[in-house]
Amino acid sequence: MKRIVLLRHGESQWNRENRFTGWTDVDLSDRGRTEATEAGELLRNEGFRFGKAYTSYLKRAVKTLDLVLGALDQDWIEVAKSWRLNEKHYGALQGLNKRETAEKYGEERVYEWRRSYDVAPEPLAANDPRNPRFDLRYKGIPEAELPLTESLSQTVKRTLPYWQCEILPELVRCDALLVVAHGNSLRGIVKHLKGISDDAIAELNLPTAMPYVFEFDEGLNCVGDYFLGDPGKVAAAMAAVAAQGRK
């Protein structure tokens, strides 16, 4: 049996402040660092030995991975980073408080921006300093591929090829892989793996730093999935994520 563990980064400073983050490079909070270490300890206690790890270009995911590998005493394994694992780009919403945005635009509209498959927030202006084209880390990426906003469907469009062409084939060589990324880039992967419909994906909320294990047979077919840890704690954390966009 081969396994891939999907892990959303630990709580960030803007998660703590209930802000839309997207591609803004926000650091982990103290709680987020603790969550990441605890996730690594949980994986260690379950006997996970990873052949390779993957993460995004954003420090909240990169630092989560570092803390997880440290707790596992597997700092030495190969790590690949890709912008294609970045969070969904929230456009002009980035930096805004989710509760205050819900008070202004209504919970239904904010729910669409956060969880629907096809609705994207208003884009950044081309000259907005938050435009990824002004960020050195994206210098080698064609400007046409860099988003100014994204729906989940657009996030899936950039994430899934990396999953299919780079991550999944690595299971031929390794028995276990670790992917540390973001709520929406991981939701897109989960949607693909579990065959979740465009409508039903709105109800999937991934908690921070709780390992989500997918099992594969030798033909790389997904045959099972489960969260590590206490089911009640996982359910409560999912409910807390779902509540972030309410008034």
Side-chain angles (χ1 to χ4, degrees):
M1 186 69 65
K2 293 175 177 286
R3 298 179 292 183
I4 297 180
V5 176
L6 304 182
L7 185 71
R8 184 184 174 194
H9 60 79
E11 181 192 72
S12 74
Q13 293 286 358
W14 279 14
N15 289 147
R16 188 171 186 82
E17 297 171 14
N18 201 24
R19 297 183 182 276
F20 290 99
T21 309
W23 282 36
T24 309
D25 201 17
V26 178
D27 209 340
L28 293 174
S29 66
D30 289 341
R31 177 182 175 184
R33 285 185 280 274
T34 299
E35 287 178 337
T37 299
E38 290 176 348
E41 292 170 348
L42 179 58
L43 289 164
R44 182 190 64 206
N45 292 338
E46 292 291 328
F48 278 84
R49 303 292 298 178
F50 295 106
K52 188 173 180 178
Y54 299 83
T55 192
S56 74
Y57 277 7
L58 301 171
K59 69 176 69 174
R60 58 192 185 272
V62 174
K63 292 188 176 182
T64 295
L65 176 59
D66 289 343
L67 289 164
V68 169
L69 293 179
L72 282 163
D73 195 24
Q74 295 178 37
D75 310 69
W76 52 271
I77 70 169
E78 182 181 356
V79 173
K81 299 175 184 176
S82 175
W83 69 278
R84 293 186 179 276
L85 292 175
N86 277 16
E87 176 59 297
K88 169 179 140 181
H89 199 298
Y90 274 101
L93 292 179
Q94 293 185 162
L96 299 183
N97 180 276
K98 295 174 185 176
R99 178 183 57 80
E100 293 172 357
T101 305
E103 290 173 351
K104 182 176 181 179
Y105 295 101
E107 289 184 5
E108 183 176 349
R109 188 59 171 162
V110 170
Y111 180 79
E112 286 183 334
W113 286 330
R114 293 183 65 231
R115 289 291 171 258
S116 71
Y117 191 60
D118 292 315
V119 178
E122 287 296 313
L124 296 175
N127 61 351
D128 191 303
R130 297 172 292 175
N131 186 328
R133 71 186 177 93
F134 298 127
D135 192 322
L136 282 176
R137 81 191 77 190
Y138 307 115
K139 184 177 180 181
I141 300 164
E143 186 175 334
E145 295 185 32
L146 295 174
L148 297 177
T149 186
E150 286 180 309
S151 63
L152 181 57
S153 64
Q154 291 168 317
T155 307
V156 169
K157 186 176 180 179
R158 66 162 159 87
T159 302
L160 206 54
Y162 188 73
W163 169 267
Q164 294 173 321
C165 297
E166 299 292 336
I167 299 177
L168 190 60
E170 193 68 17
L171 274 186
V172 173
R173 185 178 68 88
C174 303
D175 289 331
L177 301 171
L178 176 60
V179 181
V180 179
H182 305 265
N184 284 293
S185 53
L186 294 178
R187 285 173 74 228
I189 292 171
V190 173
K191 182 183 189 300
H192 168 70
L193 289 174
K194 293 176 66 68
I196 300 173
S197 71
D198 294 355
D199 291 334
I201 192 62
E203 301 305 316
L204 177 64
N205 293 282
L206 296 180
T208 55
M210 291 190 173
Y212 194 0
V213 183
F214 282 81
E215 297 179 334
F216 299 82
D217 62 21
E218 294 300 322
L220 304 187
N221 301 299
C222 184
V223 295
D225 63 284
Y226 56 92
F227 279 95
L228 289 182
D230 177 72
K233 184 178 179 181
V234 173
M238 285 181 167
V241 175
Q244 290 173 355
R246 296 175 185 161
K247 294 180 183 178

